[in-house]
């Protein structure tokens, strides 16, 4: 029994816990039944502060989007658009009210704030104290709807409220049913109350006022109190009404506060150069109508227009500034275009300003006067910057003329360069003062001419200064092109994009755009062709003349002289002279960089060409560097008029860089040839590494190697020829060792560095120098053949002196026999002539092996030099001995013939490896003649073999030296 009772208690406790959990789930569900059943209000309750801050941020973002959209659409004054503006303003005001309400909940509120009633229980509570739980005493409906049902539609809320009302009606119905079921009890209670009231009136309260009288008295007392309260608290109530009116006005001011701050905010942005932010702020005041009844708002819009006109003047001044970075220019173009599209009203005092100041938007650059308001911003900026580019080009030419003239008059190049750099650092007025400086230098030059003439005649320093000034002028001219052409290209691209947008806008609207009433028929491509191309041609011609002076051709055509035409003849001759190698190398790098810039500008400018059908886009394309010009003709620097000035710019730049790089090749190979010739004649070294290093350096530095193929090929031939001449000079007063050294150098070059040089030349010229290997090998092999043939001739002459046989009876007895007992005996010592001949061959082998090694192969024959030398020596030895034997054959005895036959057989066996077939045949015939003279055939009898074996024993050391 006890266990059952405990089990029942446990089960009842579990049931109560389950019911409590179900009750808690029901309490924390969405009462409007919009959220799903598993939604828990407590999760929202815990993160209500973050969700409320996010809601405020979303409302502010929606307000900003509405302001920007309505300002962008503010382009007309029709009735429908006016109505839309009013709706937009109401929507903004509504969003502002929502934001204020949410901020009031978020940060807390008091009774003194706007829109809060005195009897609001949650008036002084912040979001941390309020709750979204319906069962909480601090439940706030506004917070509940904002956080839980912020995205719910009106229909969903209405349907949910209907469900709640139906639940309330059900409760009323249950109460009615309760009254019906207990109606008799309610009647009896009412009768009892009435009876109690009658009894009280009849018995105990006779002579006293009744209930009705008492109630009437209380009503009169309350009316009197109310009257007295109104009379006493009237000033306080009036003040309360006034406070509420002021608070309402403050709320309105807070809603329109961002609009009131726009003029001041715009001025701050303009002062700090934030024009984009100023334009964005001006868009906000465009929602204010011109006929707005609020004078304050009209005044705000007027002040904002004044700030916008100031911003426009500043932006126009930025477009006319040559020292502003190109990124700032592009930003200014964008901001000015947006400002113009907003239709800023003109200044009503424009007439008064026009009398005392120049026209707004008009700028003068050199000889060009440009009104930026006659064109859209990008085109105006392109025209202004093109004018500045032209002025800087002219200044560069004048400065070069001034510098050379002053140096010719006696000043140093350092003083002239320092003064030029100081003028460059002065800024914008440097271009205007260059002409005056030139005139002053001309005047001072006349006075210094007489003083410096004697010094100039005694020293040629001024000539080097003139050449250095040409290099400085080239670098300066290339710097102008490098800094300005990419800048102009970026601005031109921006202008082309602006043209495309305007054309698309006009086609879309089928009517005049915002600026279609302005006369701007000039296009971005026209500016490049008419305004910028002549200056590019001038700067390219100027850089070419400074770097080259004259062309490489001998046909009479020359480079255009951009300055110094009125100078002295000696100065003109120096200006037209080619630069030395060091200065020419500097100018070559600069011209190569200039060509890259000009090609990029020309190719990119073609994309700016306008054409409705696209046909213009395909005409006169600018090719890649060096693709269509090839080897420039003799009249390359005097071209006729071209249909496309940009093509002429590219052609001039290509011709200049090809000429200077050809000249650079000539200088480089000339220096290399002198160095290699000096080393070859001094130390007998064929310096192929120097030639390879020269070609590799040109590979890294040349940009038009294909056009320099002829110079590269001839330069390599020159270096090899000078090396060969140096080696020939080295050998001239020396012996066979020097000849073998020269042969070894030639062999190493043919099998080593020359192969690398040919491969590097083929890579440099893209395989155009097909005959360079044959030409180089021909020169080297000619020297090698001459040297080696002389060495072989000397060997033949030397071994010829070693083949003398001596006296015929130097080793015989008185009876004519070799030994005693009347028989033939083997020789007791090795023959002297054989020793001398074999030593000569061994010496030849040692010489060749020490100089060339034993494995070096002669390229022309495919045989090692060692074998060729030993074969020549062996043939010379055998030929000389056979000649001597033939000369003595008639006077030779039988025993002498037999001895010489054995010795000749020993020599043939020893040198058989190196003897030619013809020489073997001659030796064999001679031996047979000796055998016939001795009376027996080859190899007959044991005495002959014994003699040969004895010779082999005695001459073993020679045999070993001649072996492998």
């Amino acid at each position: 029994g006890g266990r059952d009772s405990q089990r029942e208690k446990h089960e009842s406790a579990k049931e109560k816990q389950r019911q409590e959990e179900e009750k808690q789930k029901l309490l924390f569900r969405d009462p409007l039944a919009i959220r799903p059943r598993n939604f828990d209000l407590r999760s929202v309750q815990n993160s209500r502060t973050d969700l409320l801050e996010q809601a405020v941020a979303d409302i502010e973002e929606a307000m900003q989007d509405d302001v920007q959209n309505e300002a962008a659409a503010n382009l007309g004054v029709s009735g429908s658009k006016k109505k839309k503006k009013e709706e937009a303003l109401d929507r903004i005001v509504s969003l502002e009210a929502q934001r204020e309400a949410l901020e009031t909940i978020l940060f807390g509120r008091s009774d003194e704030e706007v829109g809060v009633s005195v009897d609001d229980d949650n008036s002084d509570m912040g979001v941390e104290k309020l709750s979204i739980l319906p069962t909480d005493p601090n439940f706030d409906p506004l917070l509940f709807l904002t956080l839980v049902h912020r995205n719910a539609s009106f229909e969903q809320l209405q349907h949910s409220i209907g469900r709640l009302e139906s639940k309330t009606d059900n409760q009323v119905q249950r109460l009615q049913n309760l009254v019906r079921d207990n109606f008799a009890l309610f009647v009896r209670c009412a009768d009892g109350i009435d009876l109690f009231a009658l009894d009280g009136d009849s018995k105990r309260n006779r002579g006293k006022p009744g209930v009705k009288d008492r109630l009437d008295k209380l009503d009169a007392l309350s009316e009197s109190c109310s009257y007295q309260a109104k009379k006493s608290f009237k000033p306080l109530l009036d003040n309360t009404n006034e406070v509420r009116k002021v608070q309402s006005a403050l709320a309105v001011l807070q809603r329109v506060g961002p609009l009131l701050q726009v003029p001041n905010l715009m001025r701050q942005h303009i002062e700090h150069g934030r024009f984009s932010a100023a334009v964005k702020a001006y868009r906000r005041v465009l929602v204010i109508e011109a006929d707005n009844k609020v004078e304050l708002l009209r005044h705000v819009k007027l002040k904002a227009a004044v700030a916008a006109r100031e911003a426009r003047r500043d932006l126009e001044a930025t477009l006319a500034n040559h020292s502003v970075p190109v990124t700032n220019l592009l930003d200014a173009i964008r901001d000015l275009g947006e400002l113009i599209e907003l239709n800023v009203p003109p200044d009503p005092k424009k007439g008064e300003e026009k009398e005392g100041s120049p026209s707004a938007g008009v700028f003068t650059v050199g000889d060009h006067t440009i009104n930026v308001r006659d064109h859209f911003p990008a085109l105006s900026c392109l025209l202004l910057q093109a004018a500045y580019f032209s002025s800087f080009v002219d200044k560069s030419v004048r400065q070069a003329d001034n510098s050379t003239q002053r140096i010719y008059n006696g000043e140093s190049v350092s003083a002239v360069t320092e003064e030029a750099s100081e003028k460059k650092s002065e800024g914008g007025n440097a271009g205007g003062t260059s002409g005056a400086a030139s005139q002053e230098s001309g005047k001072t030059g006349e006075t210094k001419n007489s003083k410096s003439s004697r010094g100039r005649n005694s020293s040629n320093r001024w000539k080097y200064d003139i050449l250095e000034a040409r290099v400085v002028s080239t670098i300066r001219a290339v710097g102008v092109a490098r800094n300005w052409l990419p800048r102009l290209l970026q601005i031109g691209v921006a202008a082309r994009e602006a043209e495309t947008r305007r054309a698309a806008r006009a086609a879309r609207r089928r009517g005049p755009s915002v600026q279609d009433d302005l006369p701007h028929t000039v296009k971005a491509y026209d500016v490049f062709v008419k305004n910028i191309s002549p200056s590019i041609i001038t700067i390219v011609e100027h850089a070419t003349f400074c770097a080259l002076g004259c062309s490489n051709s001998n046909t009479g055509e020359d480079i255009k002289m951009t300055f110094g035409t009125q100078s002295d003849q000696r100065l003109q001759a120096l200006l037209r002279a080619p630069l030395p190698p060091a200065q020419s190398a500097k100018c070559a790098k600069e011209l190569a960089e200039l060509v890259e810039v000009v090609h990029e500008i020309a190719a990119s400018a073609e994309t700016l060409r306008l054409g409705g059908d696209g046909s213009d886009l395909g005409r006169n394309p600018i090719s890649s560097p060096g693709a269509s010009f090839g080897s420039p003709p003799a009249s390359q620097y005097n071209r006729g008029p071209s249909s496309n000035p940009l093509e002429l710019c590219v052609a001039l730049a290509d011709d200049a860089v090809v000429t200077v790089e050809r000249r650079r090749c000539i200088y480089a190979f000339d220096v290399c040839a002198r160095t290699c010739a000096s080393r070859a004649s001094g130390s007998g070294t064929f310096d192929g590494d120097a030639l390879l290093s020269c070609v590799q350096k040109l590979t890294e530095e040349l940009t038009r190697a294909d056009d320099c193929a002829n110079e590269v090929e001839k330069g390599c031939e020159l270096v090899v020829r000078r090396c060969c001449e140096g080696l020939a000079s080295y050998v001239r007063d020396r012996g066979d060792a020097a000849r073998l050294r020269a042969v070894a150098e030639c062999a190493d070059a043919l099998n080593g560095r020359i192969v690398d040089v040919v491969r590097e030349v083929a890579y440099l010229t893209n395989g155009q120098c097909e005959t360079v290997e044959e030409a180089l090998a021909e020169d080297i092999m000619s020297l090698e053949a001459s040297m080696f043939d002389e060495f072989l001739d000397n060997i033949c002459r030397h071994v010829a002196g070693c083949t003398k046989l001596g006296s015929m009876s130097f080793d015989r007895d008185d009876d004519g026999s070799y030994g005693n007992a009347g028989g033939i005996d083997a020789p007791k010592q090795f023959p002297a002539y054989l020793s001398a001949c074999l030593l000569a061959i061994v010496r030849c082998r040692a010489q060749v092996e020490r100089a060339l090694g034993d494995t070096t192969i002669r390229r022309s024959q495919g045989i090692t030099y060692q074998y060729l030398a030993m074969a020549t020596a062996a043939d010379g030895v055998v030929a000389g001995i056979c000649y001597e034997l033939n000369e003595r054959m008639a006077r030779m005895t039988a025993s002498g013939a037999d001895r010489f036959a054995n010795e000749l057989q020993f020599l043939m066996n020893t040198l058989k490896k190196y003897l030619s077939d013809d020489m073997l045949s001659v030796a064999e015939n001679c031996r047979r003649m000796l055998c016939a003279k001795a009376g027996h055939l080859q190899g007959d009898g044991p005495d002959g073999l014994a003699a040969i074996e004895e010779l082999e024993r005695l001459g073993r050391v020679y045999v070993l030296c001649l072996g492998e």
Side-chain angles (χ1 to χ4, degrees):
R3 292 181 179 179
D4 294 338
S5 61
Q6 289 180 358
R7 186 183 299 110
E8 290 176 358
K9 289 180 181 180
H10 181 67
E11 291 178 356
S12 62
K14 290 179 60 177
E15 182 66 21
K16 288 181 180 180
Q17 184 179 0
R18 187 184 64 79
Q19 292 177 357
E20 187 66 24
E21 292 177 356
E22 292 293 334
K23 182 179 179 181
Q24 292 294 329
K25 291 181 181 179
L26 292 175
L27 289 177
F28 296 118
R29 288 181 183 174
D30 182 15
L32 296 181
I34 297 177
R35 293 283 190 168
R37 295 179 62 87
N38 58 354
F39 178 76
D40 194 349
L41 292 176
R42 288 174 292 184
S43 61
V44 181
Q45 172 71 12
N46 295 332
S47 59
R48 59 187 181 278
T49 303
D50 297 336
L51 294 175
L52 191 59
E53 290 177 353
Q54 181 64 32
V56 173
D58 293 343
I59 291 176
E60 290 180 350
E61 184 177 356
M63 289 176 62
Q64 293 179 0
D65 293 341
D66 289 340
V67 170
Q68 292 177 358
N69 294 335
E70 292 302 322
N74 187 17
L75 299 176
V77 294
S78 61
S80 60
K81 293 183 178 179
K82 183 176 180 180
K83 184 176 180 180
K84 290 181 179 179
K85 293 177 185 177
E86 293 177 355
E87 293 176 356
L89 186 58
D90 293 340
R91 186 164 57 255
I92 293 172
V93 173
S94 175
L95 290 174
E96 181 69 22
Q98 295 179 22
R99 187 190 67 179
E100 290 182 357
L102 293 180
E103 288 179 348
T104 301
I105 297 175
L106 180 61
F107 302 110
R109 52 194 175 178
S110 62
D111 295 344
E112 298 178 356
E113 293 183 348
V114 180
V116 180
S117 60
V118 177
D119 56 350
D120 192 352
D121 294 337
N122 299 333
S123 60
D124 57 348
M125 295 184 182
V127 67
E128 297 296 339
K129 296 182 180 180
L130 297 178
S131 175
I132 63 168
L133 302 177
T135 58
D136 197 313
N138 295 330
F139 172 73
D140 190 90
L142 179 58
L143 184 62
F144 172 77
L145 292 176
T146 301
L147 299 182
V148 180
H149 299 297
R150 179 184 172 195
N151 298 324
S153 63
F154 178 76
E155 289 78 8
Q156 291 177 332
L157 292 175
Q158 190 176 18
H159 182 66
S160 300
I161 291 174
R163 286 202 299 267
L164 286 177
E165 290 178 350
S166 63
K167 291 181 180 180
T168 304
D169 294 340
N170 291 335
Q171 292 178 357
V172 172
Q173 184 67 31
R174 287 197 298 270
L175 290 176
Q176 290 177 357
N177 294 334
L178 180 62
V179 172
R180 291 191 184 95
D181 296 339
N182 301 283
F183 182 73
L185 182 59
F186 282 104
V187 170
R188 290 180 61 185
C189 289
D191 292 342
I193 292 172
D194 292 339
L195 181 60
F196 176 76
L198 291 176
D199 292 341
D201 290 339
S202 59
K203 294 181 179 179
R204 297 181 182 179
N205 296 325
R206 289 181 180 177
K208 296 181 180 180
V211 175
K212 184 176 181 183
D213 295 336
R214 293 178 181 177
L215 293 176
D216 293 338
K217 187 177 181 179
L218 290 174
D219 290 339
L221 183 60
S222 63
E223 289 178 1
S224 175
C225 292
S226 175
Y227 174 75
Q228 292 295 331
K230 289 180 180 181
K231 183 177 180 180
S232 301
F233 293 102
K234 185 177 183 303
L236 181 59
L237 295 177
D238 294 340
N239 291 336
T240 302
N241 292 333
E242 291 296 330
V243 168
R244 290 180 177 177
K245 292 179 181 179
V246 172
Q247 290 177 345
S248 178
L250 289 176
V252 174
L253 289 177
Q254 288 179 357
R255 288 196 294 270
V256 298
L259 294 178
L260 301 179
Q261 297 175 358
V262 165
N264 187 27
L265 189 62
M266 288 182 65
R267 290 191 183 91
Q268 292 179 2
H269 289 319
I270 293 171
E271 290 177 358
H272 293 85
R274 299 189 296 264
F275 294 102
S276 299
V279 174
K280 184 178 180 180
Y282 182 69
R283 291 180 183 274
R284 299 172 63 180
V285 302
L286 296 180
V287 298
I288 303 175
E289 295 289 345
D291 55 350
N292 195 294
K293 296 181 180 180
V294 181
E295 184 178 357
L296 179 60
L297 295 180
R298 293 199 304 270
H299 180 73
V300 168
K301 188 173 184 179
L302 180 62
K303 292 299 182 181
V306 173
R309 289 192 292 270
E310 181 182 353
R312 180 172 183 176
R313 288 192 294 269
D314 291 346
L315 288 172
E316 290 172 349
T318 302
L319 299 185
N321 191 347
H322 66 85
S323 61
V324 175
V326 66
T327 54
N328 294 356
L329 284 178
L330 298 177
D331 294 339
I333 290 171
R334 183 195 65 238
D335 298 336
L336 183 57
E338 293 178 359
L339 195 59
I340 292 174
E341 290 179 356
L342 295 180
N343 289 330
V344 180
D347 192 354
K349 299 181 180 180
K350 184 178 179 181
E352 300 176 2
E353 295 180 357
K354 197 170 183 180
E355 295 177 359
S357 62
S359 301
V362 178
F363 299 91
T364 301
V365 181
D367 299 333
H368 304 277
T369 300
I370 301 169
N371 188 350
V372 297
R373 300 191 179 183
D374 290 343
H375 314 280
F376 56 91
L379 184 59
S380 300
C381 182
L382 183 60
L383 291 171
L384 287 168
Q385 299 298 319
Y388 276 116
F389 173 61
S390 300
S391 67
F392 276 103
V393 171
D394 296 338
K395 176 186 174 184
S396 178
V397 176
R398 291 195 304 268
Q399 195 169 1
D401 191 8
N402 184 26
S403 301
T404 53
Q405 188 64 41
R406 290 173 59 186
I407 293 173
Y408 182 73
N409 292 335
E411 298 186 33
S412 64
V413 66
S414 59
V416 174
T417 306
E418 289 176 1
E419 184 175 348
S421 61
E422 290 175 0
K423 286 185 178 181
K424 184 177 180 181
S425 63
E426 289 178 1
N429 57 357
T433 60
S434 60
S438 178
Q439 295 177 1
E440 291 178 2
S441 65
K443 295 178 181 179
T444 56
E446 294 176 358
T447 60
K448 292 182 180 180
N449 192 10
S450 60
K451 299 180 181 179
S452 60
S453 59
R454 183 179 302 174
R456 190 169 58 247
N457 292 331
S458 60
S459 175
N460 292 328
R461 181 62 188 174
W462 69 276
K463 296 181 180 180
Y464 296 102
D465 291 346
I466 290 291
L467 297 177
E468 189 64 28
R470 285 174 55 185
V471 176
V472 173
S473 299
T474 303
I475 296 174
R476 186 182 297 116
V478 174
V480 171
R482 180 174 56 244
N483 295 334
W484 275 93
L485 293 183
R487 178 188 182 95
L488 294 174
L489 177 60
Q490 295 186 47
I491 300 173
V493 171
R496 177 67 181 89
E497 293 175 354
E499 292 173 1
T500 304
R501 288 194 299 268
R502 290 167 59 83
R505 189 184 303 116
R508 184 172 62 252
R509 294 181 179 178
R510 296 184 179 181
S513 62
V514 177
Q515 294 181 339
D516 279 350
D517 56 338
L518 299 178
H520 47 264
T521 57
V522 181
K523 305 299 181 184
Y525 183 77
D526 298 335
V527 175
F528 267 87
V529 172
K530 298 178 182 178
N531 297 34
I532 300 177
S533 295
S535 299
I536 298 178
I537 294 175
T538 301
I539 199 67
V540 171
E541 290 177 345
H542 177 60
T544 302
F545 175 67
C546 292
L548 301 180
C550 63
S551 62
N552 294 340
S553 60
N554 298 321
T555 58
E557 301 291 346
D558 210 343
I559 299 174
K560 180 181 178 182
M561 197 171 184
T562 57
F563 66 93
T565 54
Q566 304 298 326
S567 302
D568 188 72
Q569 293 297 327
R570 296 177 64 189
L571 179 57
Q572 289 189 21
L574 193 59
L575 292 176
R576 286 190 175 276
L579 290 174
Q583 287 83 354
S584 181
K586 295 179 183 178
C587 295
K589 296 179 181 179
E590 297 295 330
L591 287 181
E593 189 172 355
L594 175 63
V595 169
E596 292 180 2
V597 174
V598 171
H599 269 284
E600 180 182 358
I601 294 302
S604 302
E606 284 297 317
T607 62
L608 305 180
R609 187 193 297 270
L610 293 176
D613 56 353
S615 58
D616 263 351
L617 295 174
R619 294 186 304 166
N620 298 327
I622 303 299
S623 60
S624 60
S628 62
F629 301 101
S631 298
S635 59
Q636 54 183 335
Y637 300 105
N638 294 321
R639 298 180 182 271
S642 175
S643 60
N644 189 348
L646 295 175
E647 288 185 355
L648 180 58
C649 298
V650 174
L652 289 174
D654 277 333
D655 294 341
V657 76
V658 168
T659 301
V660 74
E661 289 191 351
R662 286 179 173 178
R663 191 174 296 176
R664 188 173 186 181
C665 289
I666 294 172
Y667 288 152
F669 284 115
D670 183 63
V671 172
C672 183
R674 290 199 299 269
T675 303
C676 293
S678 176
R679 294 195 63 184
S681 61
S683 60
T685 302
F686 191 102
D687 196 357
D689 292 332
L691 177 58
L692 179 62
S693 176
C694 180
V695 176
Q696 289 176 344
K697 186 176 181 181
L698 291 176
T699 302
E700 297 174 357
E701 297 175 352
L702 294 183
T703 60
R704 298 290 187 278
D706 294 347
D707 298 320
C708 303
N710 189 30
E711 283 71 17
V712 172
E713 181 176 0
K714 292 182 178 179
C716 293
E717 294 177 6
L718 174 65
V719 174
V720 171
R721 191 175 300 114
R722 292 290 177 84
C723 285
C724 294
E725 292 174 357
L727 289 176
S729 176
Y730 173 79
V731 174
R732 187 173 297 119
D733 298 330
R734 293 176 173 86
D736 290 341
R739 291 185 179 87
L740 286 178
R741 179 180 177 86
V743 172
E745 291 292 331
C746 293
D748 291 341
L750 287 173
N751 298 324
R753 287 305 180 192
I754 294 301
V755 177
D756 298 335
V757 169
V758 171
R759 182 174 62 251
E760 195 68 27
V761 168
Y763 172 74
L764 174 62
T765 61
N766 290 329
Q768 294 187 25
C769 300
E770 298 178 354
T771 61
V772 64
E773 183 177 8
E774 181 180 353
L776 299 182
E778 181 180 356
D779 291 337
I780 298 174
M781 292 175 67
S782 175
L783 176 65
E784 181 264 347
S786 175
M787 295 292 104
F788 196 63
D789 290 345
E790 290 181 6
F791 173 73
L792 295 179
D793 292 342
N794 290 337
I795 289 176
C796 291
R797 286 194 297 270
H798 177 70
V799 299
C802 300
T803 57
K804 302 300 181 180
L805 299 180
S807 175
M808 295 182 63
S809 60
F810 69 96
D811 56 352
R812 293 184 297 169
D813 295 335
D814 294 337
D815 58 356
S817 63
Y818 281 105
N820 48 16
I824 300 175
D825 196 3
K828 302 299 184 220
Q829 64 180 10
F830 197 73
Y833 77 95
L834 288 181
S835 177
C837 292
L838 293 177
L839 283 176
I841 297 175
V842 171
R843 178 175 176 271
C844 173
R845 173 177 180 170
Q847 285 181 328
V848 176
E849 187 172 351
R850 182 172 61 251
L852 293 164
D854 56 351
T855 59
T856 305
I857 298 175
R858 192 179 189 185
R859 185 173 179 178
S860 59
Q861 294 179 286
I863 305 173
T864 62
Y865 286 95
Q866 185 189 59
Y867 180 84
L868 290 174
M870 294 185 68
T872 302
D875 287 347
V877 167
V878 173
I881 292 175
C882 290
Y883 175 78
E884 291 289 332
L885 291 175
N886 289 329
E887 288 292 326
R888 300 185 181 191
M889 187 70 67
R891 297 179 282 112
M892 192 177 300
T893 62
S895 60
D898 184 66
R899 179 176 64 83
F900 282 119
N902 293 331
E903 292 173 353
L904 183 60
Q905 182 64 45
F906 165 75
L907 187 64
M908 290 173 60
N909 294 338
T910 303
L911 301 179
K912 181 171 61 176
K913 178 180 178 181
Y914 304 106
L915 293 175
S916 61
D917 295 338
D918 295 338
M919 195 54 60
L920 283 174
S921 177
V922 170
E924 182 64 23
N925 292 333
C926 183
R927 193 191 67 81
R928 288 181 180 275
M929 292 174 61
L930 292 173
C931 290
K933 186 73 173 176
H936 60 83
L937 298 178
Q938 178 184 7
D940 293 342
D943 296 333
L945 295 176
I948 293 175
E949 290 178 355
E950 183 65 17
L951 288 173
E952 289 178 353
R953 183 182 67 80
L954 294 175
R956 183 181 298 111
V957 63
Y958 303 106
V959 175
L960 293 176
C961 292
L962 294 175
E964 295 295 337

